[in-house]
Amino acid sequence: MATDTLGEFEQVILLAVAHLGDEAYGAAIRHEIEARTGREVAVGALYTALERLERKRFVRSEMSAPTPRRGGRARRLFEMRPAGAAALKRSHDTLARMWNGLSPDLRRTR
Amino acid sequence: MTGQCPRPPSRVALWLIERSLPARDREEALGDVREEYARLARHDAVPARRWLRRQALRSLTAIPQRLLPAAPPSSARVSRGRQVVRGLMGDLVFGHRLLRHQPLTAFAGLLSLAIGLGLNLLLFTLTNAILLTPLPLAGADRLVMVQMQRQDGIAMDFSYPFYQHLRTGSPNVFDTLVAYSSTTATARVAGPSEPLVGEYVSGNFFIDLAVPMAMGRGLTAADDTPDAPPTVVLSQARYRRYFGDVPLSGQQITLNRTAFTIVGVADRRFFGTEIGETADFWVAIGQMYAFEQEDYRNRPTVSWLALMGRLAPGVTRGAAQARLSPAATSFFDPLSYPPQTLLLADGWQGDSDLPRNVGRELRLLMAASLFLLLIACINVTNLQLARVGARRHELAVRAALGAGRARLALLIVADAIVVTVPAGLIALAAAALWKERAARLIAIWGQPVALALPVDAAVAGAALALTVASAGLIGGLSAALSLRRSPALLLAEGGRAHIGAASRSQRALVIVQFALSMTLAAGAALLVRSVDHLRDADMGFSRNIALIDVALGPAGYTGEMLPQYYQRAFDLVSRVPGVEGAAIAHVMPLDFGGSRQTIEIEGYVPADGEDMELNTVRVSPGYFNVMRLPVIAGREFTTGDTAGQPRRIIVNETMARRYWPNAQAVGRFARFYAPKPAGPRRFDVEIVGVVADARYRMVREDPRPTFYVSTSQQPISFFVLHVRTSGRPDARLGEIERAVANLDPNVPVRRAITLESQLDRNIADERMARSLALALGLAALVLAGTGLYATMAFAVRRRTREIGVRMALGADAGKVRMMVVRQGLALVVIGVTVGLTGALWTGRALQSQLYGVSPIDPISLIASAAVLAAAGLAASWLPARRATRINPVTALHDP
């Protein structure tokens, strides 16, 4: 299980979680991705993917205390787990190795 | 920011998004969505709605992922029902994939079921059209036929004055009462004249019953009088034949020498007032005079009209009957008839003979076809069991991983559905494709029927019901038989195959199949033998007869012209090579109908209520010679018997024996009343001869007292020319017909047919039952054979190792072959023996349909058993041959 490769969307989510740190709840993750990529994210797809990542033990989640600011609703906070970080790193390394020797416009540099 | 309250988010969109979310996150995520929507809507409602719509649309792609996950979500609570559905859908996909790897098994199962379901649906389509479909008339469910109880039976025809009396004299019973009667006419538009069948109808018929029209108008009360210009409504088929696609514009058709204007064309759904009958035209009763040069409208005692009423809303049939009978009595009282009881019979199919004639056959065939479906289902079950056997590894693993018995059963049911549903669809398509061909087997009184054969909701419902029932039966039976033992044990058995429970079940199923097949085959054999007997039945007269039906009356022949025409016809016909003689009679033989006439026998006192209305046939001199009907006593009619002389009749043997048991009939006298419009005319008649019995109306009738009258004393204007040829008349029929047709172009030949073909038409119902039963029997044979083959092939495959060991130890090929064949045949023998019980039951059910065959006819039983045994032998021989080809070395190496 831990050797699973990550899909692109999964990577994007994990990276958003990493960026957000303690504030990584659903809506924040969505906004983070939308802000950084300019792509609109489907709520259903996001939560389904988060659930899958949790099952794969890449993230863990816990319910935060209800906050007065959000109308009393509790929210689920996500946190990166070591396996998730490792998977992200693997993905990054794989890509980095593949990019190695190519310029961003796909010209060979050596 | 405006002060307005923005429109709330679409509930549909929210619902869709909610569906796409994991249960635990729904509240939070939906809260986010609402918040986001509200935030966007504060600036501008349009982009907010667009955003929500995009979210909803994209959730659609997320929903299937939620419904069909590879594994159930870890912490989510999923309802049990949904779990079942989710599992089933996965199983369906999986089952479909497995089938693709076993195309032959899949094909065999599919074909078996498609045959079983297809024949069922075909029969149901016919049954639906004949027994379940009402006339396409308004308020058909409230239609009733008026009948009158008489001492000697039930009268169904009434006079026109009685119709009017009932219509005006019984308010609050019917909301309409119509009258009709069938008729024939010689019709001509352009080209040769031809005979048509039509109906006289009362003026309220078309409007009150809302007869569906394709073009123009129906007949109205204004048409229903002799003073109105002659008008006619044509059937759509007939109109198309004459005018093609030309729209209706006052075209005319000549019916019996009167020109009628076509005012309307009935829709093709409307064939006439009786299911299965075809009318070509409709004419108002009031124009009878223009039509027939005769008018019965003011004749209170001439019964010729069928009365069909539609009960007023809220009036029960019982109440209607009670209110009608006084009306009948008040009508018949002045005519010095006894009080009359009127009865009301179902009229939603009109006064149709078809449901009565073939209803029993159809029901029996439906039962037989359900048997066939059962055989097909068993076939598929058998194949399923084999597949479950092949999948035991997988099932064992699933069981070990915690799948319960119910979950495994679901897996097996899914497999059944994968086969059944496509088979149901194929069957429905096949039934729709072949229904017209099957309908051609159905005839009414020997005439092919016109049936509307809709593939309607009833047929679709039957298809669905049968498919679901089959899936349930196959799935349930397979699951029950293969999961009898704990699934955990499956693992213990693991891969090592031996003949186990599944195989025993398979054998039991093959036995059941052969038992059911025996039942069907024996029924089919009985019907085949019965039809053979009917075909070979002794008619009493020669079979080398060509029959030419001719109507002189409508062409204006009367008096002296008639005998002259006969003579010219005889002369012309006898010039055709091979013709040995010709005569005429006034009825078509073996045509179900004929004439009856009341007769008084001198010196014979009838018992109280004894029916003295006897069969009568008017024949020309020479008739008995032409028909090879032996004259037993006295003489045949001659041209010397002329109109001026005392009347003479010839009686048949049965009549002679019945009324003059101890004496000569020849020389005795009788008396009858000629049915003349001017009132009864009494004739004393002398019996001049006795002839052998003959079947005249039907093959299946016991000879009845019949007397013959000579046309030389009483000429007839409608007659059938009987022409005897030296061999079979088929080759000469055309020539003979042309000879008669050339005599006078105004006299159409209404039918030209050989006696043999007439005989075939006479037993059309029996032949229909035989053909369909034979189809069912053959299908059963093929299915049972396939079932046995599959079982034996499977058994051989599973015993590859054992057989290999035997052969390695020196068993010879013949012995191995025998072993397999013996096992296969043992199943057949047991099945056929069990099936004998069913066969006897079938014989009893068919008893009334059989002719010349005992319901426990040994030849039928032995023949069926032999055919099944032969099929069984073939079905076991092929796997047996394969068994002997097993290479011991590879068999032992195989795991």
Side-chain angles (χ1 to χ4, degrees), chain A residues 25-27 30-31 40-45 47-48 51-52 54-55 61 70 73-76 78, chain B residues 17 20-22 24-25 27-29 31-33 35-36 39 51 54-55 58 62 65-66 73-74:
Chain A
Y25 56 92
R30 189 163 55 81
H31 288 138
E40 202 168 279
V41 176
V43 183
Y47 281 94
T48 307
E51 193 190 25
R52 192 164 61 236
E54 193 169 357
R55 219 164 44 232
S61 72
R70 295 190 69 248
R73 268 188 291 114
R75 52 187 171 174
R76 183 174 296 277
F78 291 90
Chain B
I17 294 167
S20 74
L21 289 164
R24 61 170 199 186
D25 296 323
E27 194 187 336
E28 178 189 351
D32 285 344
V33 169
E35 233 165 61
E36 180 94 23
R39 191 175 58 78
W51 175 81
R54 279 198 305 275
Q55 284 286 347
R58 291 162 86 180
Q65 291 177 29
R66 298 223 63 75
S74 52

Side-chain angles (χ1 to χ4, degrees), chain B residues 508-565:
Chain B
L509 290 179
V510 169
I511 291 175
V512 174
Q513 275 188 312
F514 270 85
L516 290 173
S517 300
M518 177 66 190
T519 308
L520 284 184
L526 283 173
L527 291 175
V528 167
R529 299 245 304 141
S530 179
V531 167
D532 282 350
H533 274 106
L534 281 166
R535 272 231 175 90
D536 296 340
D538 182 12
M539 302 292 135
F541 43 70
S542 167
R543 286 173 170 248
N544 295 334
I545 301 284
L547 300 158
I548 315 289
D549 188 357
V550 177
L552 288 182
Y557 281 77
T558 49
E560 272 308 299
M561 296 162 81
L562 294 170
Q564 285 166 14
Y565 182 93

